[in-house]
Amino acid sequence: QQQVKQSPQSLIVQKGGISIINCAYENTAFDYFPWYQQFPGKGPALLIAIRPDVSEKKEGRFTISFNKSAKQFSLHIMDSQPGDSATYFCAASIWGQNFVFGPGTRLSVLP
Amino acid sequence: DAGVTQSPTHLIKTRGQHVTLRCSPISGHKSVSWYQQVLGQGPQFIFQYYEKEERGRGNFPDRFSARQFPNYSSELNVNALLLGDSALYLCASSSTTGGGTEAFFGQGTRLTVV
């Protein structure tokens, strides 16, 4: 019940296209859902986050869509760029306690 | 402002040895968490400390221990190292605990056990 599932495992997108990564959870006690971007050899960097009382949050080219009834949330990257090529992790937490991470999606944006 | 700093950046140890990893949180942040990230997987929670008290512990053996100091820096200790302990160890810093708390990660310590 503490798992966060994430798909796809890998994603290839053309420059300028839309990248979509999906996550699903079971534990309805989760109250915070961040997305992290990680480049090889680096730590995860907070990209954008949402709370379950909001259905959508947009920051620049990045948008989180949240479906509380379906227990799903997704990251949309608009106008994808080669510099967006990285591994993306969704995560969930309860009251700021331990974050449960998805297995990650490796995104490659072709020039 | 400096971000989360971890030391050392890389470490090679032999099976059975002990290792200590260090983390300095963002200035003003009182919560530190530790995560283990095995290659190709998402980070797995090990410990969380807030105001020098343990607030959470993940599913890791007792060989793993941690503590937080009065200046909010933290150490992660691993005894009797196994080959399977080889991973990137990440420290995350938060200003508080509670709903919606953001966590910021350091660059990690790459531990290789041979």
Side-chain angles (χ1 to χ4, degrees):
Chain A
Q1 203 180 21
Q2 283 292 92
Q3 267 190 324
V4 174
K5 297 179 181 179
Q6 183 173 346
S7 63
Q9 187 174 23
S10 62
L11 182 60
I12 299 175
V13 173
Q14 293 288 336
K15 178 182 176 181
I18 302 173
S19 303
I20 301 174
I21 305 171
N22 301 299
C23 286
Y25 63 97
E26 287 296 322
N27 190 345
T28 55
F30 286 137
D31 63 3
Y32 179 66
F33 301 88
W35 284 89
Y36 285 87
Q37 178 191 58
Q38 187 175 31
F39 293 103
K42 304 294 185 181
L46 179 63
L47 203 56
I48 186 173
I50 199 167
R51 299 192 64 175
D53 53 347
V54 177
S55 61
E56 186 176 282
K57 183 175 181 179
K58 182 177 181 180
E59 290 184 359
R61 296 185 295 112
F62 301 93
T63 299
I64 299 178
S65 296
F66 189 85
N67 186 330
K68 188 174 182 178
S69 60
K71 292 184 284 187
Q72 296 175 349
F73 58 111
S74 61
L75 175 69
H76 296 234
I77 305 175
M78 312 300 288
D79 187 27
S80 298
Q81 299 297 313
D84 296 331
S85 298
T87 300
Y88 292 80
F89 294 96
C90 61
S93 71
I94 302 170
W95 202 242
Q97 303 296 324
N98 55 294
F99 285 75
V100 179
F101 283 82
T105 296
R106 181 172 291 184
L107 172 65
S108 297
V109 181
L110 304 180
Chain B
D1 282 340
V4 180
T5 57
Q6 294 187 242
S7 62
T9 55
H10 295 85
L11 202 53
I12 299 176
K13 289 287 190 178
T14 303
R15 272 183 307 173
Q17 284 189 316
H18 163 91
V19 69
T20 297
L21 311 180
R22 295 177 175 83
C23 171
S24 292
I26 294 170
S27 177
H29 283 196
K30 299 180 179 181
S31 177
V32 168
S33 299
W34 289 95
Y35 290 78
Q36 180 196 66
Q37 187 177 23
V38 173
L39 197 62
Q41 297 181 19
Q44 297 289 317
F45 172 72
I46 309 175
F47 287 107
Q48 183 187 33
Y49 278 79
Y50 178 71
E51 290 276 19
K52 303 182 289 296
E53 291 187 1
E54 182 182 302
R55 286 296 185 93
R57 175 185 286 252
N59 188 25
F60 280 80
D62 291 343
R63 299 185 296 107
F64 289 77
S65 64
R67 55 179 175 168
Q68 187 177 31
F69 298 100
N71 66 353
Y72 304 112
S73 67
S74 178
E75 282 183 353
L76 175 69
N77 295 282
V78 187
N79 292 323
L81 285 166
L82 303 174
L83 296 179
D85 294 330
S86 296
L88 180 68
Y89 287 84
L90 295 163
C91 173
S93 162
S94 302
S95 57
T96 63
T97 60
T101 299
E102 296 178 328
F104 300 92
F105 284 83
Q107 299 282 60
T109 294
R110 172 68 64 186
L111 172 65
T112 302
V113 182
V114 298

